[in-house]
């Protein structure tokens, strides 16, 4: 009986943590975003990318993938970008998974600054590629999506600038030791 209660408690905590990470990515994407003037059809720089990186580094690939995919996909769905939502779900889910998988490889659990930075950098081409292909399909044009790449890069660099100090500080707290 004790094991059942313990597993139930663990599952409940896991569900609550996942929901909170999704909400944090959603709110970070929704509350502070800047439309880029370098792209004719929109594009945003927001803090959701930083939260995706933080979730992936602190909690691993599954939580990072869910937080990024659902949090940013939901943002697209409620913010007038519904057409982009499926692309975002794939791009950000993959990005969160890659960051978490590298940051948590070989038992690291997001403890290595070098691997965390490497993980974020490695994830960027995958995110850019998914958005590029998605936009090319949406607009039936393989050249126009090239204008999105600078904004994607800026968004990821800002995400890294936010995530690195936050993760360093949080890793020093007792809950993450």
């Amino acid at each position: 009986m004790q094991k059942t209660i313990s597993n139930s408690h663990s599952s409940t905590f896991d569900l609550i943590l996942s929901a909170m990470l999704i909400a944090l990515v959603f709110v970070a994407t929704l509350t502070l975003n800047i439309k880029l003037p370098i792209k004719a059809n929109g594009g945003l720089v927001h803090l959701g990318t930083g939260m995706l990186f933080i979730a992936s580094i602190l909690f691993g690939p599954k939580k990072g993938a869910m937080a990024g995919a659902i949090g940013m996909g939901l943002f697209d769905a409620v913010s007038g970008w519904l057409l982009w939502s499926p692309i975002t779900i794939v791009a950000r889910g993959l990005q969160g998974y890659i960051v978490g998988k590298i940051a948590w490889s070989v038992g690291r659990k997001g403890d290595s600054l070098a691997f965390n930075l490497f993980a974020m950098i490695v994830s960027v081409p995958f995110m850019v590629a998914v958005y590029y292909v998605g936009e090319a399909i949406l607009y039936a044009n393989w050249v126009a999506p090239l204008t999105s790449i600078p904004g994607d890069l800026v968004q990821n660099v800002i995400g890294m600038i936010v995530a690195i100090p936050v993760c360093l500080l949080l890793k020093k707290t007792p809950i993450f030791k």
Side-chain angles (χ1 to χ4, degrees):
M1 183 70 174
Q2 183 63 29
K3 188 172 184 174
T4 305
I5 293 170
S6 178
N7 285 342
S8 174
H9 180 266
S10 177
S11 296
T12 303
F13 178 78
D14 192 53
L15 180 63
I16 291 168
L17 180 61
S18 297
M20 287 176 52
L21 293 172
I22 290 165
L24 286 169
V25 170
F26 173 74
V27 169
T29 307
L30 182 68
T31 56
L32 183 59
N33 61 63
I34 302 163
K35 189 168 181 173
L36 295 173
I38 58 175
K39 185 177 169 214
N41 56 1
L44 297 171
V45 171
H46 52 74
L47 292 182
T49 304
M51 276 308 308
L52 176 149
F53 289 153
I54 292 165
S56 300
I57 289 167
L58 295 181
F59 298 102
K62 290 179 186 176
K63 295 251 186 311
M66 282 195 323
I70 299 170
M72 288 192 214
L74 184 59
F75 165 80
D76 283 352
V78 301
S79 300
W81 302 88
L82 183 60
L83 197 56
W84 289 91
S85 192
I87 299 164
T88 295
I89 289 168
V90 173
R92 296 315 189 132
L94 181 61
Q95 187 172 31
Y97 184 82
I98 290 169
V99 172
K101 193 69 174 173
I102 294 171
W104 279 58
S105 63
V106 195
R108 274 188 210 78
K109 296 187 178 183
D111 295 328
S112 168
L113 175 61
F115 271 87
N116 294 347
L117 184 58
F118 176 70
M120 290 183 280
I121 291 168
V122 166
S123 76
V124 173
F126 291 94
M127 174 263 198
V128 170
V130 171
Y131 275 117
Y132 175 84
V133 170
E135 187 172 347
I137 292 168
L138 284 177
Y139 296 109
N141 183 325
W142 292 92
V143 177
L146 294 172
T147 62
S148 298
I149 294 173
D152 291 342
L153 297 176
V154 168
Q155 185 176 104
N156 279 279
V157 168
I158 290 170
M160 290 177 207
I161 291 169
V162 168
I164 291 168
V166 170
C167 287
L168 285 172
L169 288 171
L170 288 174
K171 283 291 188 176
K172 291 180 180 179
T173 63
I175 197 166
F176 289 106
K177 287 188 178 186

